[in-house]
């Protein structure tokens, strides 16, 4: 495979298309309609305006001001993947919540400039959550389960997380610095919009392929929780980013994850599935087959490794 399947959610066989993509690749693409594409362009323009501000201005909404809510801006090199700094800066957002002692709960930090960024982010998160729930309903159908299975057991009150990243250009042949080193996502489903600059690479059956860079395509992938819940039927596929274009790359991943207190026990799937031999041969040597507890436990431990200094500051 040299490219990703593009799924048409209006097709009569959408559930089958998704099932095959989730089983074989763990990645697929959706075409944005004109309204969503216009919102994507607006949001990227606003994000570029924010990232162009001087660091002292951006520091007014830095993550260390957000405390355990883990919201706000961080500079180049502040986020780690596999213990190594990423070549990217970013802005973290989540559901707008009242003060809460639990990690990743609370209010967002909104900058004064650009003034329209807050509303654009909120609109996009609403759009992606609605689309993500639709995708999950088709996945449930493909697994032979009721279409509302995820909504009634895991995502009735999900953990929606949103990031905007700026990847500066890096010279061709420079393999010592990565925008993001290889990893798999933590939750259920990731919906990624970009500005069309290439850089995302996906490992498909041991071979790294470039994700399509068409800005009107929404790149979707599965996280570790979906891999866990389905017993390896659906793959959380490793991926990485390196920006060798002659311009900054903007990427906006939205993560639709289980509710904070949702159990991550496997789904009851009596379909004669035989777990593939490579199901436990993960890039990070983690065994997602034996995970238990709640999603909140899992994501807190993961994020604490990504921002270790912040985790120490907030007592995690």
């Amino acid at each position: 495979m040299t490219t990703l399947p593009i799924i048409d959610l209006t097709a009569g066989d959408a559930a089958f298309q998704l099932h095959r993509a989730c089983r074989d690749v763990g990645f697929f693409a959706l075409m944005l309609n004109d309204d969503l594409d216009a919102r994507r362009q607006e949001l990227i323009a606003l994000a570029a305006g924010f990232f162009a501000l001087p660091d002292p201005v951006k520091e007014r909404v830095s993550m260390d001001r957000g405390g355990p809510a883990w919201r706000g801006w961080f500079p180049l090199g502040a986020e780690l993947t596999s213990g190594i700094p990423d070549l990217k800066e970013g802005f973290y957002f989540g559901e707008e919540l009242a003060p809460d002692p639990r990690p990743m709960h609370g209010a967002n930090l909104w900058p004064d400039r650009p003034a329209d960024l807050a509303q654009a982010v909120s609109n996009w998160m609403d759009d992606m959550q609605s689309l993500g729930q639709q995708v999950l309903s088709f996945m449930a159908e493909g697994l032979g389960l009721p279409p509302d299975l995820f909504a009634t057991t895991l995502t009735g009150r999900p953990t929606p997380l949103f990031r905007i990243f700026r990847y500066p250009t890096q010279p061709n042949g420079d393999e010592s610095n990565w925008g993001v080193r290889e990893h798999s996502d933590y939750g259920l489903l990731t919906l990624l919009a970009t500005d069309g600059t290439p850089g995302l690479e996906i490992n498909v059956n041991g071979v790294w392929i470039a994700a399509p860079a068409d800005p009107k395509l929404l790149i979707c992938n599965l996280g570790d929780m979906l891999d866990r819940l389905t017993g390896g039927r659906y793959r959380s596929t490793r991926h990485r980013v390196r920006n060798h274009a002659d311009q900054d790359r903007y990427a906006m991943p939205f993560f639709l994850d289980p509710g904070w207190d949702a159990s991550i026990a496997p789904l009851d799937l009596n379909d004669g599935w035989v777990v593939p031999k490579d199901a436990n041969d993960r890039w990070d040597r983690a065994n997602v087959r034996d995970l238990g507890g709640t999603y909140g436990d899992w994501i807190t431990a993961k994020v604490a490794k990504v921002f270790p200094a912040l985790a120490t500051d907030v007592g995690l």
Side-chain angles (χ1 to χ4, degrees):
M1 180 172 291
T2 58
T3 189
L4 301 184
I6 300 176
I7 308 298
D8 179 3
L9 296 182
T10 66
D13 64 344
F16 173 75
Q17 290 184 47
L18 276 171
H19 180 70
R20 184 170 56 186
C22 294
R23 182 194 60 201
D24 296 344
V25 188
F27 267 82
F28 54 91
L30 304 174
M31 184 67 71
L32 292 172
N33 62 37
D34 290 343
D35 288 341
L36 282 178
D37 187 51
R39 289 191 175 186
R40 176 196 64 83
Q41 294 180 57
E42 175 194 19
L43 188 48
I44 287 176
L46 291 168
F50 172 78
F51 286 126
L53 295 172
D55 280 4
V57 176
K58 291 183 283 190
E59 285 170 357
R60 297 172 188 168
V61 290
S62 64
M63 291 190 74
D64 56 5
R65 296 175 183 264
W70 255 309
R71 316 287 173 84
W73 170 80
F74 65 86
L76 287 171
E79 184 170 12
L80 310 182
T81 300
S82 300
I84 299 173
D86 296 334
L87 188 61
K88 71 174 189 289
E89 68 171 314
F91 207 141
Y92 270 38
F93 309 92
E95 183 181 7
E96 196 71 42
L97 299 169
D100 192 311
R102 294 176 295 177
M104 303 175 66
H105 288 70
N108 289 300
L109 299 180
W110 300 115
D112 294 330
R113 295 183 289 160
D116 295 334
L117 181 63
Q119 190 60 58
V121 166
S122 298
N123 290 342
W124 187 260
M125 290 184 65
D126 288 345
D127 289 336
M128 292 300 101
Q129 182 161 319
S130 177
L131 181 58
Q133 295 281 21
Q134 182 184 8
V135 170
L136 287 176
S137 71
F138 280 121
M139 287 184 184
E141 187 178 345
L143 289 164
L145 299 169
D148 64 349
L149 182 280
F150 288 106
T152 56
T153 62
L154 292 168
T155 60
R157 183 66 188 274
T159 304
L161 306 170
F162 181 53
R163 321 291 192 226
I164 301 178
F165 294 136
R166 180 188 71 87
Y167 295 92
T169 186
Q170 59 192 96
N172 277 311
D174 178 6
E175 305 297 341
S176 61
N177 295 303
W178 288 83
V180 180
R181 291 176 180 268
E182 65 176 287
H183 67 286
S184 56
D185 293 346
Y186 309 143
L188 283 179
L189 177 64
T190 304
L191 307 174
L192 172 72
T194 76
D195 65 344
T197 302
L200 175 62
E201 300 177 359
I202 301 160
N203 193 285
V204 180
N205 298 321
V207 177
W208 288 101
I209 69 169
D214 184 342
K216 291 199 70 171
L217 285 179
L218 196 69
I219 307 299
C220 307
N221 66 279
L222 315 182
D224 294 336
M225 288 301 94
L226 202 52
D227 195 321
R228 162 61 173 157
L229 292 166
T230 64
R233 291 166 177 80
Y234 286 1
R235 303 292 192 93
S236 58
T237 302
R238 55 184 167 147
H239 47 287
R240 64 190 184 185
V241 175
R242 51 180 174 184
N243 179 18
H244 287 161
D246 58 359
Q247 62 189 30
D248 287 348
R249 177 178 183 268
Y250 291 92
M252 306 189 301
F254 175 84
F255 304 93
L256 181 57
D257 292 353
W260 191 259
D261 297 318
S263 170
I264 54 175
L267 298 170
D268 185 13
L269 298 167
N270 298 315
D271 56 2
W273 168 258
V274 177
V275 177
K277 293 181 179 180
D278 66 342
N280 291 319
D281 186 20
R282 287 171 50 91
W283 64 278
D284 57 357
R285 302 296 185 264
N287 182 6
V288 299
R289 303 288 159 258
D290 296 332
L291 292 175
T294 66
Y295 184 68
D297 296 333
W298 165 260
I299 190 67
T300 297
K302 286 292 187 178
V303 174
K305 292 181 179 180
V306 173
F307 291 102
L310 182 60
T312 300
D313 288 346
V314 300
L316 295 176

